[in-house]
Amino acid sequence: MRKEAVDEILNVLDRDYGTSKEGFYHHEDWQLLLAIMLSAQSTDKQVYEALPGLWERFPTIWDMAEANLPEIENAIRSIGLYKSKAKNMKKCCQQILSEYGGKVPLKIEELVKLAGVGRKSATLFLADAYDIPGVTVDTHVLRIARRLGWAEGKTPVQVEKELMKVLPKENWNRINFQLIYHGRAVCTARKCHCDKCQLEQWCEKKADS
């Protein structure tokens, strides 16, 4: 795809979905990391509603690390996969305390060693916490990037590398939420709503569509 076409698409995404998003409510880095972990396979609304009570109940990383598992489960019971997430949250905090002196590491290679933290969560954390450029690839980004002809890879890591070559660095951090919004409203997994898609003129409609 021509650079001019990529720039035109990015301008449309900026116009329609904005260049910044509302972050998860938190006071400390470890809280933001856990909030991002909670958002996996859950709605942002569910996470937003749970966080104030969660941080009030566990105000420090030591409180979370030392809490009984049922306490954490009860605090996030409204969120999908709450049992496994509670287990990972507790272990993650224990690892941050024992292995990193209570400070969340700032390298992806170290972040992904923490319980419950994958490459997607790690990249998103670095972007949200420190504005460190990175392309976060979830199912929406993977699907739409292929349909636009920006990437051909079939795995998140492959698509991440391709998008880092195609997209200007200043757009990396926001492409995730922009394509999530577009994927939920227009270019869904079930069907491409091309009749109302503002990107239709540039779309190559790859095989997965």
Side-chain angles (χ1 to χ4, degrees):
M1 179 177 286
R2 296 178 298 106
K3 180 182 183 303
E4 293 79 7
V6 173
D7 290 341
E8 289 171 353
I9 292 171
L10 294 176
N11 287 335
V12 171
L13 293 173
D14 284 352
R15 180 196 70 197
D16 291 354
Y17 301 115
T19 59
S20 62
K21 64 172 181 176
E22 180 185 358
F24 290 121
Y25 170 66
H26 68 285
H27 302 291
E28 305 287 346
D29 283 357
W30 67 271
Q31 294 177 327
L32 175 59
L33 182 61
L34 265 56
I36 291 171
M37 291 166 56
L38 285 173
S39 69
Q41 300 184 52
S42 300
T43 66
D44 286 351
K45 183 176 184 292
Q46 288 175 318
V47 179
Y48 290 142
E49 291 175 349
L51 291 182
L54 182 67
W55 304 146
E56 182 177 358
R57 193 165 181 177
F58 308 103
T60 73
I61 190 171
W62 293 275
D63 292 323
M64 183 68 71
E66 296 173 0
N68 294 323
L69 204 53
E71 284 186 84
I72 305 175
E73 292 175 355
N74 287 334
I76 61 170
R77 190 174 293 273
S78 61
I79 293 176
L81 305 176
Y82 72 93
K83 283 185 176 291
S84 61
K85 289 179 181 179
K87 182 178 179 180
N88 284 332
M89 289 163 63
K90 178 180 173 68
K91 184 175 180 181
C92 179
C93 288
Q94 291 173 335
Q95 288 176 289
I96 293 172
L97 288 170
S98 64
E99 299 173 27
Y100 299 101
K103 302 290 186 181
V104 180
L106 300 184
K107 295 181 179 180
I108 287 184
E109 296 76 15
E110 295 177 333
L111 282 166
V112 296
K113 294 178 182 179
L114 299 173
V117 180
R119 189 172 183 86
K120 171 189 164 187
S121 296
T123 304
L124 194 57
F125 168 77
L126 294 175
D128 288 356
Y130 296 101
D131 204 29
I132 295 174
V135 177
T136 307
V137 179
D138 64 2
T139 57
H140 293 291
V141 175
L142 190 149
R143 180 178 72 253
I144 297 173
R146 285 172 51 85
R147 288 176 177 174
L148 287 172
W150 284 356
E152 296 180 352
K154 295 185 178 180
T155 69
V157 173
Q158 290 172 341
V159 172
E160 176 187 340
K161 292 178 179 178
E162 291 179 276
L163 290 181
M164 290 172 74
K165 294 178 181 178
V166 172
L167 304 178
K169 203 168 188 177
E170 59 266 26
N171 290 83
W172 289 2
N173 285 354
R174 61 182 182 265
I175 197 67
N176 175 256
F177 72 81
Q178 289 175 335
L179 293 188
I180 284 177
Y181 295 156
H182 189 65
R184 289 173 178 170
V186 182
C187 193
T188 68
R190 288 180 176 271
K191 182 180 180 181
C192 309
H193 297 280
C194 302
D195 57 322
K196 62 176 183 178
C197 181
Q198 60 271 51
L199 307 181
E200 197 275 337
Q201 63 178 299
W202 299 287
C203 186
E204 296 184 10
K205 302 179 184 64
K206 289 295 184 182
D208 67 332
S209 62

